[in-house]
Amino acid sequence: MRRIYLITYDVCEPKRLRQTFKCLKNWGDHLQYSVFECHLTPTDLIHCKAELAEIIHHGEDQVLVVDLGSVENRSDDLVQAIGKPYSDMAAPCIVV
Amino acid sequence: MIQPLDSNDTEQPSVDYLPARMINEYVYCPRLFYLMHVEGQFADSYETVQGRIVHRRVDSGNGRLDAPEVFPEADLEPAEIDMPPEPPKRRGKMKHVQAATLFADADTADDDVDAADPREDNEEKTRSSVHARSITLSSDSLGVIAKLDLAEANGQHVTPIDYKRGRPRREADGTAGAWPPERVQIALQAMVLRDNGYQCDSGMLYFDETRQRVDVPLDDALIRQAEQAINGARAVYDSATIPPPLVDSPKCPKCSLAKICLPDETARLVENRRLSELEPDREVRAIVTARDERRPIYLSTQGLWVGKKGDILQAKADGKLLQEIRLNEVNQVNLLGNVQLSTQAMQTMLRMEIPVAYFTQKGYFYGVAGGLGVKNILVRREQFRRADDTQFCLRLARELVRGKIRNHRTLLMRNHRQPSSITLRELKRSADHATRSDSLASLLGIEGNAARLYFGDFSGMLKVDCDVETSPGAALSEKRPAFDFRGRNRRPPRDPVNALLSFAYALLTKDCLVAATKVGLDPYLGFYHQIKPGKPALALDLMEPFRPLIAESAVLSAINNRMVTPEHFLVAGQSVVLTGTGRKHFLMAYEKRMDATVTHPLFGYRVSYRRLLEIQTRLLARLLSGEIDDYPVFVTR
């Protein structure tokens, strides 16, 4: 079961910051500066967390993982945007 | 006495070493051992991924351990050998030759020390402990190869340490213990060390979650248990027959191969050998997740160029980035028409075992690229053997045709405005007739008749008014064909509904072919459909009962929900084709159907149609290997 996670980070050093950004690009959508929305299975989550733990400095940086519930039972107003529109990533397939 | 040492070279047993890790699996579940080690199947689960993360550090070791100090010479009398004080070997064979070679040039290793661990700078003979990581050792007498995560050497005393995810077992007295599979695995590591001339009388397990070490002393009882496990595993390996699943075991839900093994489903079908005796509504534990967590990609924009950057696919048109797709979200890639996929991307798909399907722009299915196929040759061998058995083919074909007609009838009853009782009765009769048919040829006739009846009433399931008059703008509507269905036609399809049906069948063929390949079957050797060059006969067999449930149902919902409208078609001569936009809309409708869940009539749990295709194909493999007697064709109620 995939769950929606909001992953935010505060990384003090440019190199680690870039690595953190790059790592999270592989797991979710870049919503705002230092904020990603990721739809992850439990397996994905431990994988992602293990990768981040390798990158960041455990005394200086911080990553927060906020669980927003399962993808399937997502309510329509889970995320509300003011300003630029926000679009939900769920669809049965990707058609380009 | 000297014989076991001398005969080392001449005797050279034809050992196929069993990895100690696999014997761990055998103790956990013999069927798991078979699926992994004999059939070569593997799947990741939460636990396996976690285990790999735990092992990252130990796996990065250089695999080097100082050779044991005492080297018995092969031509010496045993009495002259300065044997280390250890219990006599049960199998009486010292693998000193191997010790010298496997320890990564033991002579030179001394000055080339691992810089990461300063303790290794110590003199060889000092008594302080030395650590070595990721060491692979084998033993001919046991026929076992073991990879040690960590070895702690204290002089001649070596203790193997194995890293485990999770927490230790809590013993009755509250102390930390270990489960039998882990105990056997660490015992094997210790026994292999002994066989290589080291002194070793206990092993240790390190549990990552609680950071606890659990000591496992190597006593006679454990050695006996380990030897029994080796013999048991070897017997399964040699017999090449799949052991039965565990019964209602709490181990299954956490097992990574549960979705391949289908323990409860198989047990149920084995228990009631004849399908007719099966009680319908007894539920089976839903061990597998209802849906596939990943989704397919369809690349249908002409001129698209798809490359890979990191773990992301980038779809570009005219150098402009259109979309980025994360690879860990993808379970198949479909290319329609002129779409370029870079070699780097293709290599990644092959490595990740993501099938890549090719279609023409109009949706004619060419085939699937997907590496060298599943290593599981045993089931493929059974498939070829069974395909020669005409009685077997006929029995399976009868069930498939019956299932298809039954599902046709269900679809009519559910969706038709006024289902004609005559058609329904006739379909029911044909379905019964199919089960008594005596040849494949007569089955074909029955199937054809039923299809004609069914498609005769198909238009009653279309609930849109797309008459020419109602379309806005008469000039336009002349070119836009309406959803006016008067029977099935193809090559080329001559009206929109037929165009959609053809496209849907092509997509379903692709998905059945992917499912067959995934399970290890040869998609081109069928049982009902006969061999014809380029025709994926097995995929066509598998899809028969699913034609109404997936393909036709997707067409109906695309039309009835107005996802596809007459504006989405073009007429070219006799034939009607979908426009690019129409194709995209229909793909969404098709995948929505694939993602919809349905209750399995035999097992009582809900699964998506995509998952269902895989389950049904695995059950077919069970039938081929003789584990079950009847193929439970999927029929909805």
Side-chain angles (χ1 to χ4, degrees):
Chain A
M1 286 300 176
R2 281 185 189 272
R3 294 181 77 79
I4 309 164
Y5 295 96
L6 201 68
I7 302 186
T8 67
Y9 52 88
D10 190 354
V11 176
C12 313
E13 195 254 340
K15 186 175 175 189
R16 296 199 300 266
L17 178 70
R18 261 194 322 277
Q19 287 174 331
T20 309
F21 174 80
K22 248 181 150 169
C23 165
L24 280 170
K25 276 284 272 185
N26 292 336
W27 296 106
D29 275 5
H30 186 214
L31 286 191
Q32 295 179 349
Y33 286 124
S34 309
V35 180
F36 277 83
E37 181 187 332
C38 309
H39 293 187
L40 306 177
T41 62
T43 314
D44 290 341
L45 183 66
I46 50 166
H47 229 133
C48 173
K49 276 166 49 174
E51 282 179 15
L52 289 170
E54 294 269 293
I55 294 169
I56 65 163
H57 186 295
H58 287 240
E60 294 175 5
D61 309 334
Q62 186 186 45
V63 175
L64 296 178
V65 179
V66 185
D67 183 348
L68 296 181
S70 88
V71 173
E72 260 171 72
N73 307 328
R74 173 184 190 134
S75 73
D76 292 336
D77 55 356
L78 181 74
V79 180
Q80 294 165 27
I82 303 167
K84 288 194 283 180
Y86 162 87
S87 71
D88 162 16
M89 21 192 302
C93 68
I94 302 163
V95 181
V96 185
Chain B
M1 275 300 267
I2 215 160
Q3 219 182 357
L5 292 171
D6 264 345
S7 59
N8 237 344
D9 295 304
T10 49
E11 197 188 30
Q12 210 49 265
S14 58
V15 245
D16 219 351
Y17 295 114
L18 285 175
R21 185 173 42 87
M22 283 300 160
I23 295 171
N24 171 335
E25 314 291 13
Y26 172 80
V27 178
Y28 188 83
C29 166
R31 192 173 166 96
L32 174 66
F33 165 80
Y34 181 88
L35 289 170
M36 272 197 177
H37 196 64
V38 184
E39 290 196 349
Q41 309 210 60
F42 186 75
D44 258 332
S45 74
Y46 182 77
E47 282 74 21
T48 61
V49 171
Q50 203 180 27
R52 222 175 307 132
I53 291 170
V54 170
H55 276 80
R56 253 188 330 202
R57 194 173 132 75
V58 283
D59 281 351
S60 65
N62 60 5
R64 200 177 288 156
L65 181 65
D66 290 339
E69 267 174 64
V70 187
F71 262 132
E73 294 298 327
D75 50 356
L76 289 181
E77 287 293 323
E80 292 175 38
I81 302 171
D82 189 9
M83 286 284 273
E86 58 181 296
K89 293 215 175 42
R90 304 175 61 82
R91 303 271 184 134
K93 228 199 217 176
M94 291 281 274
K95 275 307 298 159
H96 60 279
V97 180
Q98 210 159 13
T101 48
L102 265 176
F103 291 152
D105 311 320
D107 312 327
T108 57
D110 292 349
D111 38 34
D112 183 20
V113 283
D114 186 359
D117 197 338
R119 279 169 299 184
E120 288 189 28
D121 285 328
N122 291 342
E123 269 289 23
E124 199 191 357
K125 284 173 191 172
T126 55
R127 288 276 145 185
S128 69
S129 66
V130 174
H131 290 87
R133 283 185 236 120
S134 205
I135 307 136
T136 306
L137 289 177
S138 66
S139 155
D140 278 351
S141 56
L142 296 171
V144 167
I145 188 162
K147 187 171 168 191
L148 281 57
D149 287 341
L150 185 67
E152 200 172 71
N154 215 323
Q156 276 308 289
H157 240 87
V158 180
T159 309
I161 300 167
D162 208 52
Y163 276 53
K164 294 290 174 201
R165 58 161 286 278
R167 47 179 66 242
R169 168 188 182 176
R170 188 173 291 276
E171 301 289 0
D173 56 1
T175 55
W179 298 97
E182 304 162 337
R183 286 171 55 85
V184 165
Q185 187 184 358
I186 197 76
L188 287 169
Q189 295 186 355
M191 287 158 76
V192 169
L193 273 170
R194 277 190 185 179
D195 258 15
N196 281 288
Y198 294 95
Q199 286 179 39
C200 176
D201 39 40
S202 75
M204 215 178 294
L205 293 163
Y206 172 77
F207 289 89
D208 182 68
E209 194 180 320
T210 54
R211 297 173 186 234
Q212 264 173 311
R213 280 182 161 201
V214 173
D215 208 27
V216 181
L218 187 65
D219 51 27
D220 285 351
L222 186 56
I223 290 177
R224 222 169 305 124
Q225 196 186 354
E227 282 173 346
Q228 276 168 8
I230 299 172
N231 293 337
R234 206 162 270 293
V236 169
Y237 184 69
D238 292 337
S239 76
T241 37
I242 190 164
L246 300 177
V247 178
D248 205 27
S249 167
K251 292 175 184 175
C252 294
K254 285 219 160 176
C255 173
S256 63
L257 290 196
K259 62 178 179 231
I260 292 174
C261 159
L262 300 178
D264 293 15
E265 291 84 342
T266 308
R268 243 204 110 185
L269 294 170
V270 169
E271 187 187 325
N272 311 70
R273 302 283 312 187
R274 311 249 38 118
L275 274 182
S276 47
E277 295 164 11
L278 218 60
E279 332 146 44
D281 279 317
R282 217 181 71 196
E283 245 181 80
V284 156
R285 286 183 298 171
I287 291 175
V288 294
T289 50
R291 283 199 171 84
D292 197 335
E293 305 291 0
R294 300 175 300 161
R295 40 191 178 167
I297 324 179
Y298 290 91
L299 300 163
S300 73
T301 306
Q302 300 305 295
L304 210 60
W305 186 92
V306 182
K308 183 182 89 88
K309 192 176 180 191
D311 288 335
I312 295 170
L313 281 186
Q314 293 184 321
K316 294 178 184 169
D318 304 323
K320 216 181 88 209
L321 187 64
L322 281 188
Q323 190 157 358
E324 291 194 322
I325 302 148
R326 281 176 294 280
L327 275 168
N328 65 5
E329 279 187 19
V330 173
N331 59 10
Q332 54 172 248
V333 176
N334 299 284
L335 307 179
L336 284 84
N338 305 315
V339 175
Q340 310 303 319
L341 189 67
S342 77
T343 300
Q344 287 85 337
M346 190 70 204
Q347 284 168 348
T348 310
M349 305 298 170
L350 293 176
R351 184 171 51 76
M352 293 178 76
E353 290 173 27
I354 298 173
V356 179
Y358 288 87
F359 297 84
T360 61
Q361 189 184 344
K362 289 177 187 171
Y364 180 79
F365 174 57
Y366 280 139
V368 179
L372 293 174
V374 185
K375 289 163 253 167
N376 181 5
I377 184 66
L378 296 167
V379 65
R380 210 142 59 237
R381 188 171 64 180
E382 287 306 320
Q383 181 189 1
F384 278 76
R385 283 183 181 155
R386 294 287 192 138
D388 284 339
D389 178 349
T390 42
Q391 276 311 306
F392 177 85
C393 289
L394 181 63
R395 249 182 57 203
L396 181 57
R398 279 182 197 149
E399 287 303 311
L400 289 170
V401 172
R402 175 179 159 270
K404 179 190 177 186
I405 299 176
R406 288 277 302 273
N407 288 338
H408 269 156
R409 186 169 172 271
T410 311
L411 198 71
L412 274 182
M413 291 201 295
R414 279 194 196 160
N415 295 301
H416 201 282
R417 276 175 294 206
Q418 280 178 309
S420 126
S421 54
I422 302 166
T423 313
L424 292 182
R425 200 178 333 118
E426 276 303 302
L427 285 176
K428 191 165 190 191
R429 222 176 51 85
S430 311
D432 294 341
H433 200 167
T435 56
R436 292 191 304 272
S437 144
D438 56 359
S439 69
L440 292 181
S442 72
L443 263 181
L444 272 176
I446 295 169
E447 189 197 352
N449 269 331
R452 209 170 10 260
L453 274 169
Y454 166 76
F455 280 115
D457 280 12
F458 191 83
S459 59
M461 295 193 281
L462 300 171
K463 287 160 194 163
V464 278
D465 237 3
C466 283
D467 293 338
V468 183
E469 297 87 57
T470 55
S471 296
L476 190 69
S477 63
E478 272 168 24
K479 285 189 200 140
R480 304 292 184 199
F483 292 117
D484 178 18
F485 184 83
R486 299 224 169 92
R488 179 89 181 104
N489 57 52
R490 62 212 183 104
R491 287 190 196 146
R494 291 188 282 277
D495 63 81
V497 180
N498 274 302
L500 284 179
L501 283 172
S502 292
F503 188 34
Y505 293 143
L507 293 173
L508 186 56
T509 311
K510 172 259 301 180
D511 281 318
C512 289
L513 196 144
V514 165
T517 314
K518 196 170 176 185
V519 173
L521 298 169
D522 190 320
Y524 289 91
L525 181 66
F527 299 96
Y528 175 42
H529 290 84
Q530 295 306 297
I531 299 173
K532 241 191 218 173
K535 197 168 80 166
L538 184 70
L540 297 174
D541 280 2
L542 281 169
M543 80 187 261
E544 285 300 353
F546 290 107
R547 279 172 187 267
L549 301 178
I550 299 175
E552 288 148 26
S553 177
V555 170
L556 289 175
S557 66
I559 296 172
N560 292 345
N561 298 329
R562 294 177 174 74
M563 291 168 90
V564 178
T565 62
E567 277 67 43
H568 289 136
F569 295 90
L570 289 173
V571 186
Q574 276 238 303
S575 69
V576 169
V577 290
L578 265 167
T579 62
T581 332
R583 206 171 301 123
K584 285 179 185 173
H585 287 202
F586 182 70
L587 286 170
M588 274 292 175
Y590 175 80
E591 284 303 333
K592 222 172 180 164
R593 186 63 188 163
M594 274 302 218
D595 204 40
T597 57
V598 59
T599 305
H600 199 292
L602 294 182
F603 310 135
Y605 53 58
R606 290 189 79 81
V607 281
S608 72
Y609 275 103
R610 181 172 297 289
R611 186 69 95 194
L612 186 65
L613 274 185
E614 191 187 325
I615 292 177
Q616 292 299 115
T617 313
R618 291 204 186 280
L619 290 177
L620 179 67
R622 297 275 178 277
L623 175 82
L624 296 177
S625 62
E627 215 177 339
I628 59 176
D629 282 350
D630 282 333
Y631 177 61
V633 171
F634 184 82
V635 182
T636 42
R637 275 175 284 174

